[in-house]
């Protein structure tokens, strides 16, 4: 009897300890919930810096983005390390550079189950987590038992609406955000991913003019690497019209939070995943490919709002920011180590300009984006931006950077701009546009992006810049080695070996060249080169 009672009391004591522990944990979560900020992460699909009104671009009207900048912070040097949808979003979610993410370095990958993401951590810590529109995509993300893994949060996509133009999603993003908020209980903080499908292609041609009441003359500058024509300017206005659609829904979301009294303690982050879906930008590693808009507001937390910050910001910085503001240490999360650093020091500072001298550079890189090369090979690049200089190392300069000509330059979305350049590359004096946008590139590139943001004048072979180039290259390689980049250790082939998960287009080159009819909905039929390229100057 005594032994039985002893076992009973020990079991009872253990129960009490566990129960009290659970109560304390629940109390801790509730206490944190009253002060931890909500997080609204709004990400446009393919929008370059400086294409928001707050940056002075007057042919695009973005009152919601401008409000976030005015009541928070406007960043002028925010970069994604990998300018393509899936890898850029993988970096955001994990706080790691793409070359640290195995398959997730690529576009259309299988996301490794080993990499935990910030949304999963915050869900475990009492946050209400959801998303609408485009989350982490495209690719396959599953749990270890094969169930769908919603990396950006549980999808809320029930509410639909009539889009203002063809090509724009029917997703009523703001109404879906409202549905998400309605499910939130009490003081429970939330994390929400607003992933607009805009301004991703395709566009309704002339929608910017006919429905947005825009004029081609409003565009003050066309990038030097495109011909300045009416069709190119019209294409740019259609892109602008879609950015404005994204901004309209953001404005509705801000109004909802204000009406509910929740805006003051909500961290609102507004950015895009990669540059605009035009030749030589999206999917490449130039200044306009990786340099993205970023505005952040948090009325309760940001000191001296209205500041403009010049620190270099990497997308790897977002996850550690969210984790810190949730009151956690990274070591508590079970996430793999981050290379990012929290932005909280900038939020709590009252300074403008350069706040943290250590934020003086960003790393860039890419592996396989879209298919179209033999064996689904990628176009591997690594780069570094320090100050005004961009250094790029192209590891396979024998490959076509935008994809092979005979398979339609698949790493450049079909568009009026792309079509015009391809149709006129044999026209006298027009060949250089094709060469800039689709031609092969040297092993090294170096640009002064302050003087040459279009990255036209390659300084890599200029003796004046030889020492600076070597210093940038040495720094880049050292940092990549510290981050265990396989390409630094002779194992870059692994990125080409990872499976491309879209079965409809995997092994595209071999299947297409063998005569199989392939789905190429993201390019035009006229993009495919049927004969030899005309080499002319």
């Amino acid at each position: 009897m005594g032994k039985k009672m002893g076992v009973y009391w020990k079991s009872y004591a253990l129960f009490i300890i566990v129960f009290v522990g659970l109560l304390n944990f629940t109390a801790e979560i509730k206490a944190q919930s009253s002060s931890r900020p909500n997080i609204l992460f709004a990400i446009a699909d393919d929008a370059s810096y400086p294409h928001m009104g707050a940056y002075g671009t007057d042919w695009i009207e973005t009152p919601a983005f401008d409000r976030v900048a005015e009541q928070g912070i406007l960043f002028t040097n925010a970069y994604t390390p990998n300018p393509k949808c899936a890898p850029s979003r993988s970096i955001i979610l994990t706080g790691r550079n793409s070359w640290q993410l195995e398959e997730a370095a690529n576009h259309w990958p299988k996301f490794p189950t080993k990499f935990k993401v910030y949304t999963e951590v915050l869900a475990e810590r009492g946050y209400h987590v959801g998303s609408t529109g485009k989350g982490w995509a495209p690719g396959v993300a599953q749990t270890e038992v094969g169930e769908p893994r919603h990396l950006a949060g549980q999808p809320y996509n029930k509410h639909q609406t009539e889009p203002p133009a063809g090509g724009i999603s029917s997703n009523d993003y703001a109404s879906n955000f409202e549905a998400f908020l309605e499910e939130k209980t009490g003081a429970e903080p939330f994390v929400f991913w607003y992933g607009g499908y805009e301004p991703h292609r395709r566009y309704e041609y002339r929608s910017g003019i006919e429905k947005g009441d825009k004029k081609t003359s409003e565009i003050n500058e066309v990038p030097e690497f495109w011909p300045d024509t009416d069709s190119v300017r019209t294409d740019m206005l259609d892109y602008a019209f879609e950015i404005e659609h994204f901004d309209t829904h953001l404005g509705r979301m801000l109004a909802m939070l204000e009406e509910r009294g929740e805006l003051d303690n909500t961290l609102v982050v507004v950015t895009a995943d990669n540059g605009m879906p035009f030749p030589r930008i999206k999917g490449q590693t130039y200044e306009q490919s990786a340099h993205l808009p970023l505005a952040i507001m948090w009325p309760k937390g940001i000191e001296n709002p209205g500041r403009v910050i010049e620190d270099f910001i990497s997308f790897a910085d977002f996850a550690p920011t969210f984790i810190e503001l949730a009151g956690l240490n990274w070591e508590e999360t079970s996430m793999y180590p981050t290379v990012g650093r929290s932005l909280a020091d900038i939020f709590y500072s009252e300074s403008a300009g350069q706040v943290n001298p250590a934020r003086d550079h960003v790393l860039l890189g890419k592996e396989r984006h879209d298919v179209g090369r033999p064996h689904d090979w990628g176009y591997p690049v690594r780069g570094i931006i320090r100050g005004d200089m961009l250094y790029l190392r192209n590891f396979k300069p024998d490959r076509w950077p935008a994809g092979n000509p005979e398979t339609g330059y698949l790493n450049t979305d079909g568009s009026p701009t792309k079509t015009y350049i391809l149709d006129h590359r044999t026209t006298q004096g027009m060949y250089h546009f094709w060469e800039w946008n689709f031609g092969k590139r040297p092993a090294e590139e170096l640009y002064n992006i302050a003087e040459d943001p279009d990255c036209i004048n390659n300084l890599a072979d200029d003796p004046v810049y030889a020492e600076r180039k070597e210093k940038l290259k040495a720094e880049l390689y050292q940092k990549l080695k510290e981050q265990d980049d396989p390409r630094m250790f002779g194992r870059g082939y692994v990125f080409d070996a990872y499976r491309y998960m879209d079965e409809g287009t995997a092994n595209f080159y071999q299947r297409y060249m063998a005569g199989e009819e392939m789905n190429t909905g993201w390019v035009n039929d006229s993009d495919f080169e049927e004969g030899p390229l005309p080499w002319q100057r």
Side-chain angles (χ1 to χ4, degrees):
M1 182 72 177
K3 285 185 178 180
K4 288 184 179 180
M5 287 300 294
V7 170
Y8 170 80
W9 284 112
K10 285 181 180 178
S11 299
Y12 181 73
L14 180 62
F15 169 78
I16 292 296
I17 291 170
V18 171
F19 182 71
V20 171
L22 287 173
L23 285 178
N24 288 339
F25 178 75
T26 303
E28 180 182 347
I29 291 295
K30 288 183 177 179
Q32 289 177 347
S33 296
S34 63
S35 58
R36 294 181 297 172
N38 305 310
I39 300 170
L40 172 58
F41 185 77
I43 182 168
D45 197 0
D46 305 350
S48 288
Y49 172 93
H51 295 156
M52 298 286 172
Y55 292 114
T57 301
D58 53 14
W59 48 279
I60 304 178
E61 297 181 5
T62 54
F65 180 93
D66 301 350
R67 176 187 179 182
V68 173
E70 182 180 354
Q71 297 179 8
I73 298 174
L74 182 67
F75 293 83
T76 60
N77 284 309
Y79 288 82
T80 176
N82 192 328
K84 193 75 168 183
C85 305
S88 180
R89 292 161 190 255
S90 296
I91 294 165
I92 292 168
L93 288 160
T94 62
R96 292 170 67 82
N97 282 323
S98 56
W99 46 86
Q100 299 179 296
L101 292 173
E102 300 176 359
E103 293 99 319
N106 290 339
H107 195 58
W108 258 108
K110 184 174 183 180
F111 191 91
T113 57
K114 65 190 285 186
F115 293 119
K116 197 173 184 180
V117 298
Y118 77 80
T119 52
E120 295 169 330
V121 172
L122 297 186
E124 294 171 353
R125 296 300 180 125
Y127 272 83
H128 179 45
V129 181
S131 67
T132 191
K134 185 171 180 176
W136 175 84
V140 175
Q142 297 174 328
T143 66
E144 291 182 352
V145 295
E147 295 178 348
R149 190 178 170 200
H150 301 296
L151 300 180
Q154 181 65 34
Y156 286 75
N157 294 317
K158 177 181 177 180
H159 295 281
Q160 302 289 303
T161 188
E162 184 69 25
I168 291 179
S169 173
S170 61
N171 189 317
D172 190 342
Y173 306 113
S175 292
N176 286 312
F177 178 54
E178 185 175 29
F180 164 82
L181 291 176
E182 291 295 329
E183 293 186 7
K184 190 170 81 71
T185 58
E188 177 186 34
F190 71 78
V191 173
F192 192 79
W193 176 295
Y194 162 33
Y197 286 105
E198 295 76 31
H200 195 287
R201 292 189 184 273
R202 294 181 180 253
Y203 305 151
E204 178 183 317
Y205 188 62
R206 292 182 60 83
S207 57
I209 294 172
E210 296 173 2
K211 297 181 176 180
D213 198 28
K214 297 181 179 297
K215 298 178 175 60
T216 56
S217 59
E218 294 172 349
I219 297 174
N220 60 336
E221 185 178 7
V222 173
E224 188 177 347
F225 46 79
W226 303 334
D228 189 349
T229 68
D230 185 71
S231 63
V232 171
R233 285 175 172 260
T234 298
D235 201 14
M236 293 173 70
L237 292 182
D238 295 343
Y239 155 80
F241 186 65
E242 294 218 356
I243 290 177
E244 293 175 356
H245 180 77
F246 167 83
D247 189 78
T248 296
H249 281 267
L250 174 62
R252 288 172 58 191
M253 293 178 186
L254 296 178
M256 287 177 196
L257 292 173
E258 198 163 30
E259 291 169 6
R260 290 168 173 265
E262 294 200 63
L263 185 59
D264 279 354
N265 198 32
T266 297
L267 181 77
V268 181
V269 180
V270 192
T271 188
D273 57 353
N274 48 250
M276 62 197 298
F278 283 70
R280 209 173 188 260
I281 298 183
K282 179 183 176 180
Q284 306 306 313
T285 46
Y286 292 121
E287 161 69 3
Q288 295 183 46
S289 309
H291 195 176
L292 300 174
L294 176 62
I296 301 178
M297 71 182 289
W298 178 22
K300 188 176 179 180
I302 287 178
E303 299 291 336
N304 190 21
R307 288 179 285 147
V308 177
I309 296 297
E310 298 171 359
D311 295 51
F312 280 87
I313 307 300
S314 167
F315 273 24
D317 296 336
F318 290 137
T321 301
F322 302 154
I323 293 298
E324 178 178 340
L325 296 185
L328 302 173
N329 294 318
W330 193 268
E331 293 72 22
E332 300 176 62
T333 67
S334 299
M335 295 174 71
Y336 272 72
T338 179
V339 294
R341 62 182 80 186
S342 170
L343 301 175
D345 61 328
I346 295 177
F347 298 163
Y348 301 142
S349 169
E350 294 191 354
S351 300
Q354 184 81 29
V355 173
N356 185 342
R359 296 183 188 271
D360 57 2
H361 70 281
V362 289
L363 302 185
L364 310 176
K366 58 178 280 192
E367 289 292 338
R368 181 175 61 220
H369 285 175
D370 286 312
V371 289
R373 300 182 193 88
H375 313 294
D376 287 347
W377 286 334
Y379 190 82
V381 184
R382 298 291 185 272
I384 183 170
I385 297 177
R386 174 173 285 284
D388 293 339
M389 303 304 295
L390 164 62
Y391 169 78
L392 297 173
R393 175 68 169 93
N394 301 316
F395 290 99
K396 299 291 182 181
D398 57 313
R399 299 180 187 176
W400 293 96
N404 280 48
E406 61 270 31
T407 50
Y409 310 98
L410 292 183
N411 202 38
T412 299
D413 296 346
S415 67
T417 301
K418 180 180 180 181
T419 297
Y420 188 93
I421 293 169
L422 294 179
D423 285 353
H424 290 82
R425 57 178 167 64
T426 60
T427 303
Q428 186 68 32
M430 298 285 281
Y431 172 80
H432 61 284
F433 290 116
W434 177 89
E435 189 171 34
W436 281 332
N437 289 277
F438 303 108
K440 291 184 177 180
R441 296 167 187 164
E444 293 184 298
E445 299 178 76
L446 181 70
Y447 300 98
N448 184 326
I449 55 176
E451 298 177 359
D452 179 23
D454 291 342
C455 298
I456 297 296
N457 183 24
N458 185 7
L459 305 170
D461 294 330
D462 188 332
V464 174
Y465 291 89
E467 183 179 355
R468 188 176 299 187
K469 183 187 76 171
E470 291 306 316
K471 285 183 177 179
L472 288 170
K473 180 178 180 179
E475 181 182 8
L476 170 65
Y477 277 38
Q478 179 60 38
K479 292 183 181 300
L480 293 174
K481 289 175 182 177
E482 292 170 358
Q483 296 177 19
D484 294 323
D485 181 354
R487 200 159 283 284
M488 293 293 101
F489 302 97
R491 302 194 307 273
Y493 57 84
V494 300
F495 297 112
D496 284 337
Y498 291 131
R499 182 181 168 193
Y500 189 82
M501 296 302 294
D502 180 13
E503 294 182 0
T505 54
N507 197 26
F508 186 98
Y509 187 90
Q510 276 71 25
R511 292 165 65 183
Y512 177 80
M513 297 304 286
E516 184 177 344
E517 186 173 337
M518 302 293 291
N519 174 24
T520 54
W522 70 97
V523 297
N524 299 324
D525 291 342
S526 60
D527 294 350
F528 291 74
E529 303 281 10
E530 297 181 354
L533 299 175
W535 302 102
Q536 70 164 44
R537 296 285 175 180

